[in-house]
Amino acid sequence: KNEVEQSPQNLTAQEGEFITINCSYSVGISALHWLQQHPGGGIVSLFMLSSGKKKHGRLIATINIQEKHSSLHITASHPRDSAVYICAVPLKYSGGGADGLTFGKGTHLIIQP
Amino acid sequence: GAVVSQHPSRVICKSGTSVKIECRSLDFQATTMFWYRQFPKQSLMLMATSNEGSKATYEQGVEKDKFLINHASLTLSTLTVTSAHPEDSSFYICSARGDIPYEQYFGPGTRLTVT
């Protein structure tokens, strides 16, 4: 089974700072997900990527399949970015795309004005 | 597109009663849906994989007789927590897989409190 490690667990930064959150996993994967969870609990899917890099607004996600590592970056951070960011990969890699996910413990991000 | 809804968003029930949570894919057909739960200050954990028209596959440690899953159509999966106990209080989230490989679309979650 796959295991996910995220770092840092907690991150407090000032508005405008460049933010990096890291994710490592143990077993080969089909795709990796970055999710955002707000205090109410709802999950928002930010990225699903299987190679290279994706960008959406101020968010950038990269993945290195060989090193089993992914990063999520936030440029020009803003207080509204404050949330828990979670990395997730297939629990059991079957290659078929119908895999339930296992999740990292999340990074609690606070952006102060 | 690719919207998943859950109902109810919050439910409080008494110990010993059963609670049903619905997960619907609103604008796509989902042959596979997943049920996850999250205890306070813990990670999301996969409970079961639900395939339309067949029995659900449960993860180790999840009681299939307690958490009944029914995926009767391509747009609806239900999770019934039977004889609920306070330790079942948790945040339950479903996700649905559409046609695009590896994509999962998450519902907003259901917060269950058992008193």
Side-chain angles (χ1 to χ4, degrees):
Chain A
K1 292 188 178 181
N2 224 333
E3 294 183 357
V4 182
E5 293 286 337
Q6 261 187 258
S7 63
Q9 271 191 284
N10 298 285
L11 179 56
T12 300
Q14 296 297 312
E15 183 173 357
E17 286 189 40
F18 182 82
I19 304 298
T20 296
I21 299 170
N22 295 301
C23 174
S24 297
Y25 52 93
S26 58
V27 180
I29 61 168
S30 49
L32 178 143
H33 299 253
W34 280 104
L35 310 168
Q36 181 190 56
Q37 186 172 32
H38 282 280
I43 297 282
V44 174
S45 183
L46 299 176
F47 294 104
M48 189 277 294
L49 67 166
S50 53
S51 65
K53 177 179 175 178
K54 284 190 176 180
K55 185 175 189 292
H56 182 70
R58 295 180 293 106
L59 300 178
I60 302 167
T62 63
I63 189 168
N64 185 317
I65 295 292
Q66 287 73 31
E67 295 187 2
K68 298 186 179 64
H69 181 269
S70 176
S71 293
L72 176 69
H73 306 285
I74 305 175
T75 62
S77 59
H78 190 275
R80 65 175 174 266
D81 296 326
S82 299
V84 178
Y85 292 84
I86 303 169
C87 168
V89 297
L91 177 62
K92 291 165 262 188
Y93 177 55
S94 68
D99 302 316
L101 302 177
T102 185
F103 300 80
K105 292 183 179 179
T107 294
H108 294 247
L109 175 65
I110 298 173
I111 303 296
Q112 296 178 333
Chain B
V3 176
V4 176
S5 70
Q6 273 185 249
H7 178 80
S9 58
R10 288 181 181 272
V11 57
I12 300 173
C13 70
K14 292 187 186 295
S15 188
T17 60
S18 295
V19 174
K20 181 184 285 188
I21 302 170
E22 292 185 348
C23 176
R24 292 182 186 273
S25 56
L26 298 185
D27 50 3
F28 67 101
Q29 293 186 328
T31 53
T32 303
M33 290 185 173
F34 303 96
W35 286 97
Y36 302 93
R37 65 181 169 186
Q38 184 179 37
F39 293 110
K41 300 189 187 302
Q42 293 190 25
S43 305
L44 286 149
M45 298 281 288
L46 177 66
M47 296 177 67
T49 301
S50 168
N51 293 299
E52 187 266 336
S54 64
K55 290 184 179 180
T57 303
Y58 291 82
E59 294 301 307
Q60 192 172 11
V62 178
E63 300 173 58
K64 62 180 180 181
D65 294 330
K66 181 169 184 61
F67 299 99
L68 302 179
I69 292 172
N70 186 306
H71 194 157
S73 77
L74 286 170
T75 59
L76 174 65
S77 176
T78 60
L79 169 68
T80 301
V81 183
T82 63
S83 187
H85 287 280
E87 55 264 33
D88 298 323
S89 297
S90 185
F91 190 60
Y92 293 86
I93 300 178
C94 70
S95 71
R97 189 178 80 87
D99 292 333
I100 300 174
Y102 318 124
E103 282 278 14
Q104 285 192 35
Y105 307 101
F106 287 86
T110 297
R111 189 163 299 282
L112 170 64
T113 303
V114 184
T115 61

